[in-house]
Amino acid sequence: MTIDVLGRPELAERRARAAVAVLFFTNGALFANLLPRYPQIKAELGIGNAAYGLAVAAFPAGAVVAGLGAGVLVRRLGSARAAVASTLLTAAGILLAGLSPSVVLFAAALFLAGAMDAFTDVAQNAHGLRVQRRYGRSIINSFHAIWSIGAVTGGAMAAGAIALDLPLGAHLLISGVLFGTAACVALRFCLPGPDTEPDEGTGAETEPKGEPRAKGSAAAGRPAMTSRTRYVLAALVLIATAGTLVEDAGNSWATLYLSDSLNASAALAASGFIALVGAQFIGRILGDRLVDRFGQRAVARAGGLVAAAGMGLALAVPTVPGTILGFAAAGFGVATLVPAAMHEADELPGLKPGSGLTIVSWLMRLGFLLSPPVVGLVADEAGLRLGLLVVPLAGVLVVVLAGVLGARKPQPASGEG
């Protein structure tokens, strides 16, 4: 995607950037407040690993079902209002999940929360890209890093609530009110008006938010889609899905594995999830510099090796400290995978502008959908330790497929520091 230099951002744009950062932060923190409470919910509902895996798969299922409808909501409400409205409904769904007296209601509440989270994801990225166009340089990666800070904060809040023996309902109500209020305040400082803006000097509208114009993608000169393009697109989907599989291992199973299999205390067991998202944040902060120096392909391969070796060693020699470090290695290793896959997909020839990005973004959610029940079934048959082999296997898959990513470092856009 080309970047136009628009000069120093004005106060309204700087405030809008801060507002979008708040939206990403709240999105990361809300669900992270629920994840470390999963073992408690599982115990209270009295369900096995397979039923638990199917139940928590309702969250990504809701996201997959609702994902393609997010654009309609954004067009009707505007990206900022859609992000805030769906954030409030996500908070409500998470609270209902924590209070559900049966596994069916628990899954239904997670389905609602997942659907609303998908809306939030599209809307906040759309508004972030709109702010980015105003800035004239790339800032979208910083929003995703802030999402990781929010996830760490939410996980730490949950660990604190567990340590203080705060009731689950009270804990999730406090979280929902706090972050829902923050999102409503942020709305006041988001950019006003429609989400399509005129190109400077032409009066023509830009591409819809979330669908940046790819290089050389004018309709008249766009080459036909080839079998090579299809192969690369499929490989990019698998790379992005590998990243989501590792993330889901931290979301759904890290706390449970540490507490049930390794007998860690409830508060300490939350450290596995916190370590994964914390290391992922560090990887995102460093990712741009590493890619500039070594290229997407080398960074992805190195990341896949780090995830496979780190988590593989942790599973081979199971200890609480080693497992926490293993989840940290996995989070660090996959930090750049999804942005890399999306970037490469957006540059593929033979696709309409934004189509490759949309395909990868939607299909990678299948990783979140399929992973919990598969890991749960394996865990019931052979133990959760064996089920978590999905993490090093995902790392190996990235090493094998990373050749479709760019080998050369990207040239910085004119005017970027």
Side-chain angles (χ1 to χ4, degrees), residues 178-206:
L178 175 63
F179 296 116
T181 301
C184 290
V185 172
L187 177 61
R188 180 180 178 184
F189 299 99
C190 289
L191 295 175
D195 288 299
T196 53
E197 301 178 41
D199 286 337
E200 191 171 334
T202 67
E205 286 191 339
T206 62

mmCIF file of all heavy atoms in Angstrom, residues 178-206:
data_model
loop_
_atom_site.group_PDB
_atom_site.id
_atom_site.type_symbol
_atom_site.label_atom_id
_atom_site.label_comp_id
_atom_site.label_asym_id
_atom_site.label_seq_id
_atom_site.Cartn_x
_atom_site.Cartn_y
_atom_site.Cartn_z
ATOM 1 N N LEU A 178 -15.836 -0.783 33.433
ATOM 2 C CA LEU A 178 -14.622 0.020 33.292
ATOM 3 C C LEU A 178 -14.241 0.214 31.824
ATOM 4 O O LEU A 178 -14.060 1.348 31.353
ATOM 5 C CB LEU A 178 -13.477 -0.650 34.054
ATOM 6 C CG LEU A 178 -12.098 -0.001 33.920
ATOM 7 C CD1 LEU A 178 -12.109 1.411 34.501
ATOM 8 C CD2 LEU A 178 -11.035 -0.854 34.616
ATOM 9 N N PHE A 179 -14.153 -0.873 31.098
ATOM 10 C CA PHE A 179 -13.687 -0.774 29.709
ATOM 11 C C PHE A 179 -14.793 -0.317 28.766
ATOM 12 O O PHE A 179 -14.512 0.312 27.742
ATOM 13 C CB PHE A 179 -13.088 -2.103 29.274
ATOM 14 C CG PHE A 179 -11.852 -2.468 30.049
ATOM 15 C CD1 PHE A 179 -11.833 -3.589 30.862
ATOM 16 C CD2 PHE A 179 -10.726 -1.671 29.993
ATOM 17 C CE1 PHE A 179 -10.706 -3.923 31.588
ATOM 18 C CE2 PHE A 179 -9.584 -1.986 30.718
ATOM 19 C CZ PHE A 179 -9.583 -3.116 31.527
ATOM 20 N N GLY A 180 -16.053 -0.601 29.103
ATOM 21 C CA GLY A 180 -17.150 -0.051 28.319
ATOM 22 C C GLY A 180 -17.198 1.463 28.418
ATOM 23 O O GLY A 180 -17.411 2.167 27.425
ATOM 24 N N THR A 181 -16.974 1.985 29.618
ATOM 25 C CA THR A 181 -16.938 3.443 29.808
ATOM 26 C C THR A 181 -15.776 4.060 29.046
ATOM 27 O O THR A 181 -15.913 5.115 28.407
ATOM 28 C CB THR A 181 -16.823 3.778 31.309
ATOM 29 O OG1 THR A 181 -17.946 3.226 32.005
ATOM 30 C CG2 THR A 181 -16.763 5.280 31.522
ATOM 31 N N ALA A 182 -14.614 3.394 29.095
ATOM 32 C CA ALA A 182 -13.445 3.910 28.374
ATOM 33 C C ALA A 182 -13.718 3.989 26.877
ATOM 34 O O ALA A 182 -13.341 4.971 26.211
ATOM 35 C CB ALA A 182 -12.241 3.019 28.642
ATOM 36 N N ALA A 183 -14.396 2.983 26.327
ATOM 37 C CA ALA A 183 -14.720 2.996 24.895
ATOM 38 C C ALA A 183 -15.683 4.129 24.558
ATOM 39 O O ALA A 183 -15.541 4.802 23.524
ATOM 40 C CB ALA A 183 -15.316 1.649 24.486
ATOM 41 N N CYS A 184 -16.663 4.373 25.415
ATOM 42 C CA CYS A 184 -17.617 5.462 25.176
ATOM 43 C C CYS A 184 -16.931 6.819 25.210
ATOM 44 O O CYS A 184 -17.242 7.710 24.400
ATOM 45 C CB CYS A 184 -18.740 5.405 26.211
ATOM 46 S SG CYS A 184 -19.857 3.999 26.009
ATOM 47 N N VAL A 185 -15.994 6.992 26.120
ATOM 48 C CA VAL A 185 -15.235 8.251 26.179
ATOM 49 C C VAL A 185 -14.386 8.405 24.920
ATOM 50 O O VAL A 185 -14.275 9.504 24.349
ATOM 51 C CB VAL A 185 -14.356 8.293 27.446
ATOM 52 C CG1 VAL A 185 -13.427 9.507 27.415
ATOM 53 C CG2 VAL A 185 -15.231 8.331 28.695
ATOM 54 N N ALA A 186 -13.780 7.302 24.462
ATOM 55 C CA ALA A 186 -12.937 7.371 23.268
ATOM 56 C C ALA A 186 -13.731 7.794 22.039
ATOM 57 O O ALA A 186 -13.202 8.482 21.156
ATOM 58 C CB ALA A 186 -12.279 6.014 23.024
ATOM 59 N N LEU A 187 -14.997 7.398 21.977
ATOM 60 C CA LEU A 187 -15.825 7.736 20.816
ATOM 61 C C LEU A 187 -15.876 9.242 20.586
ATOM 62 O O LEU A 187 -15.916 9.698 19.441
ATOM 63 C CB LEU A 187 -17.239 7.184 21.020
ATOM 64 C CG LEU A 187 -18.266 7.503 19.930
ATOM 65 C CD1 LEU A 187 -17.822 6.932 18.583
ATOM 66 C CD2 LEU A 187 -19.630 6.947 20.319
ATOM 67 N N ARG A 188 -15.846 9.994 21.660
ATOM 68 C CA ARG A 188 -15.932 11.458 21.559
ATOM 69 C C ARG A 188 -14.764 12.039 20.758
ATOM 70 O O ARG A 188 -14.887 13.108 20.148
ATOM 71 C CB ARG A 188 -15.964 12.052 22.963
ATOM 72 C CG ARG A 188 -16.045 13.553 23.010
ATOM 73 C CD ARG A 188 -16.066 14.052 24.442
ATOM 74 N NE ARG A 188 -16.097 15.505 24.507
ATOM 75 C CZ ARG A 188 -16.036 16.197 25.643
ATOM 76 N NH1 ARG A 188 -15.955 15.562 26.800
ATOM 77 N NH2 ARG A 188 -16.059 17.518 25.629
ATOM 78 N N PHE A 189 -13.625 11.345 20.742
ATOM 79 C CA PHE A 189 -12.420 11.890 20.110
ATOM 80 C C PHE A 189 -12.076 11.204 18.789
ATOM 81 O O PHE A 189 -11.050 11.506 18.189
ATOM 82 C CB PHE A 189 -11.231 11.769 21.080
ATOM 83 C CG PHE A 189 -11.427 12.524 22.355
ATOM 84 C CD1 PHE A 189 -11.846 11.874 23.500
ATOM 85 C CD2 PHE A 189 -11.217 13.894 22.407
ATOM 86 C CE1 PHE A 189 -12.050 12.569 24.691
ATOM 87 C CE2 PHE A 189 -11.409 14.600 23.578
ATOM 88 C CZ PHE A 189 -11.826 13.942 24.728
ATOM 89 N N CYS A 190 -12.937 10.274 18.345
ATOM 90 C CA CYS A 190 -12.712 9.651 17.048
ATOM 91 C C CYS A 190 -13.014 10.646 15.928
ATOM 92 O O CYS A 190 -13.649 11.685 16.145
ATOM 93 C CB CYS A 190 -13.592 8.411 16.909
ATOM 94 S SG CYS A 190 -13.080 7.027 17.956
ATOM 95 N N LEU A 191 -12.568 10.315 14.720
ATOM 96 C CA LEU A 191 -12.791 11.203 13.589
ATOM 97 C C LEU A 191 -14.279 11.251 13.245
ATOM 98 O O LEU A 191 -14.932 10.208 13.163
ATOM 99 C CB LEU A 191 -11.996 10.718 12.378
ATOM 100 C CG LEU A 191 -10.471 10.759 12.492
ATOM 101 C CD1 LEU A 191 -9.849 10.130 11.257
ATOM 102 C CD2 LEU A 191 -9.974 12.189 12.685
ATOM 103 N N PRO A 192 -14.824 12.426 13.014
ATOM 104 C CA PRO A 192 -16.231 12.528 12.622
ATOM 105 C C PRO A 192 -16.405 12.272 11.143
ATOM 106 O O PRO A 192 -15.442 12.169 10.384
ATOM 107 C CB PRO A 192 -16.571 13.986 12.972
ATOM 108 C CG PRO A 192 -15.270 14.707 12.755
ATOM 109 C CD PRO A 192 -14.187 13.750 13.158
ATOM 110 N N GLY A 193 -17.664 12.175 10.722
ATOM 111 C CA GLY A 193 -17.968 12.084 9.305
ATOM 112 C C GLY A 193 -17.866 10.670 8.764
ATOM 113 O O GLY A 193 -17.622 9.712 9.493
ATOM 114 N N PRO A 194 -18.063 10.534 7.446
ATOM 115 C CA PRO A 194 -18.062 9.206 6.800
ATOM 116 C C PRO A 194 -16.673 8.599 6.783
ATOM 117 O O PRO A 194 -15.667 9.291 6.949
ATOM 118 C CB PRO A 194 -18.555 9.510 5.381
ATOM 119 C CG PRO A 194 -18.156 10.938 5.146
ATOM 120 C CD PRO A 194 -18.300 11.628 6.468
ATOM 121 N N ASP A 195 -16.627 7.294 6.534
ATOM 122 C CA ASP A 195 -15.353 6.581 6.552
ATOM 123 C C ASP A 195 -14.653 6.564 5.212
ATOM 124 O O ASP A 195 -13.579 5.992 5.086
ATOM 125 C CB ASP A 195 -15.571 5.140 7.027
ATOM 126 C CG ASP A 195 -15.868 5.094 8.513
ATOM 127 O OD1 ASP A 195 -15.010 5.523 9.298
ATOM 128 O OD2 ASP A 195 -16.966 4.661 8.884
ATOM 129 N N THR A 196 -15.234 7.150 4.177
ATOM 130 C CA THR A 196 -14.539 7.350 2.917
ATOM 131 C C THR A 196 -14.230 8.822 2.808
ATOM 132 O O THR A 196 -15.057 9.672 3.103
ATOM 133 C CB THR A 196 -15.398 6.921 1.721
ATOM 134 O OG1 THR A 196 -16.672 7.570 1.787
ATOM 135 C CG2 THR A 196 -15.602 5.412 1.721
ATOM 136 N N GLU A 197 -13.003 9.103 2.417
ATOM 137 C CA GLU A 197 -12.554 10.493 2.378
ATOM 138 C C GLU A 197 -12.017 10.815 0.995
ATOM 139 O O GLU A 197 -11.455 9.961 0.309
ATOM 140 C CB GLU A 197 -11.464 10.713 3.426
ATOM 141 C CG GLU A 197 -11.941 10.401 4.833
ATOM 142 C CD GLU A 197 -10.832 10.574 5.856
ATOM 143 O OE1 GLU A 197 -10.073 11.548 5.726
ATOM 144 O OE2 GLU A 197 -10.729 9.752 6.754
ATOM 145 N N PRO A 198 -12.162 12.052 0.554
ATOM 146 C CA PRO A 198 -11.682 12.412 -0.779
ATOM 147 C C PRO A 198 -10.179 12.406 -0.859
ATOM 148 O O PRO A 198 -9.492 12.781 0.081
ATOM 149 C CB PRO A 198 -12.233 13.837 -0.975
ATOM 150 C CG PRO A 198 -12.418 14.364 0.413
ATOM 151 C CD PRO A 198 -12.789 13.190 1.247
ATOM 152 N N ASP A 199 -9.656 11.922 -2.001
ATOM 153 C CA ASP A 199 -8.227 12.023 -2.242
ATOM 154 C C ASP A 199 -7.863 13.489 -2.432
ATOM 155 O O ASP A 199 -8.555 14.250 -3.101
ATOM 156 C CB ASP A 199 -7.827 11.251 -3.508
ATOM 157 C CG ASP A 199 -7.843 9.756 -3.265
ATOM 158 O OD1 ASP A 199 -7.733 9.351 -2.098
ATOM 159 O OD2 ASP A 199 -7.980 9.012 -4.258
ATOM 160 N N GLU A 200 -6.726 13.843 -1.871
ATOM 161 C CA GLU A 200 -6.302 15.240 -1.929
ATOM 162 C C GLU A 200 -6.078 15.677 -3.372
ATOM 163 O O GLU A 200 -5.366 15.056 -4.138
ATOM 164 C CB GLU A 200 -4.999 15.390 -1.134
ATOM 165 C CG GLU A 200 -4.616 16.842 -0.903
ATOM 166 C CD GLU A 200 -3.446 16.943 0.067
ATOM 167 O OE1 GLU A 200 -3.262 16.048 0.876
ATOM 168 O OE2 GLU A 200 -2.712 17.946 -0.031
ATOM 169 N N GLY A 201 -6.753 16.735 -3.758
ATOM 170 C CA GLY A 201 -6.557 17.320 -5.080
ATOM 171 C C GLY A 201 -7.425 16.736 -6.161
ATOM 172 O O GLY A 201 -7.453 17.234 -7.270
ATOM 173 N N THR A 202 -8.145 15.635 -5.866
ATOM 174 C CA THR A 202 -8.957 15.018 -6.910
ATOM 175 C C THR A 202 -10.428 15.022 -6.574
ATOM 176 O O THR A 202 -11.271 15.039 -7.454
ATOM 177 C CB THR A 202 -8.523 13.562 -7.147
ATOM 178 O OG1 THR A 202 -8.846 12.795 -5.982
ATOM 179 C CG2 THR A 202 -7.044 13.457 -7.442
ATOM 180 N N GLY A 203 -10.736 14.968 -5.283
ATOM 181 C CA GLY A 203 -12.119 14.895 -4.872
ATOM 182 C C GLY A 203 -12.695 13.507 -4.963
ATOM 183 O O GLY A 203 -13.832 13.278 -4.614
ATOM 184 N N ALA A 204 -11.898 12.538 -5.452
ATOM 185 C CA ALA A 204 -12.385 11.156 -5.546
ATOM 186 C C ALA A 204 -12.300 10.483 -4.196
ATOM 187 O O ALA A 204 -11.415 10.780 -3.402
ATOM 188 C CB ALA A 204 -11.543 10.378 -6.565
ATOM 189 N N GLU A 205 -13.220 9.550 -3.954
ATOM 190 C CA GLU A 205 -13.209 8.871 -2.670
ATOM 191 C C GLU A 205 -12.139 7.798 -2.648
ATOM 192 O O GLU A 205 -11.821 7.169 -3.657
ATOM 193 C CB GLU A 205 -14.575 8.221 -2.396
ATOM 194 C CG GLU A 205 -15.640 9.233 -2.037
ATOM 195 C CD GLU A 205 -16.896 8.549 -1.521
ATOM 196 O OE1 GLU A 205 -17.092 7.356 -1.804
ATOM 197 O OE2 GLU A 205 -17.678 9.215 -0.828
ATOM 198 N N THR A 206 -11.551 7.571 -1.458
ATOM 199 C CA THR A 206 -10.588 6.500 -1.268
ATOM 200 C C THR A 206 -11.322 5.178 -1.199
ATOM 201 O O THR A 206 -12.535 5.124 -1.153
ATOM 202 C CB THR A 206 -9.801 6.714 0.031
ATOM 203 O OG1 THR A 206 -10.734 6.667 1.121
ATOM 204 C CG2 THR A 206 -9.089 8.038 0.027
#
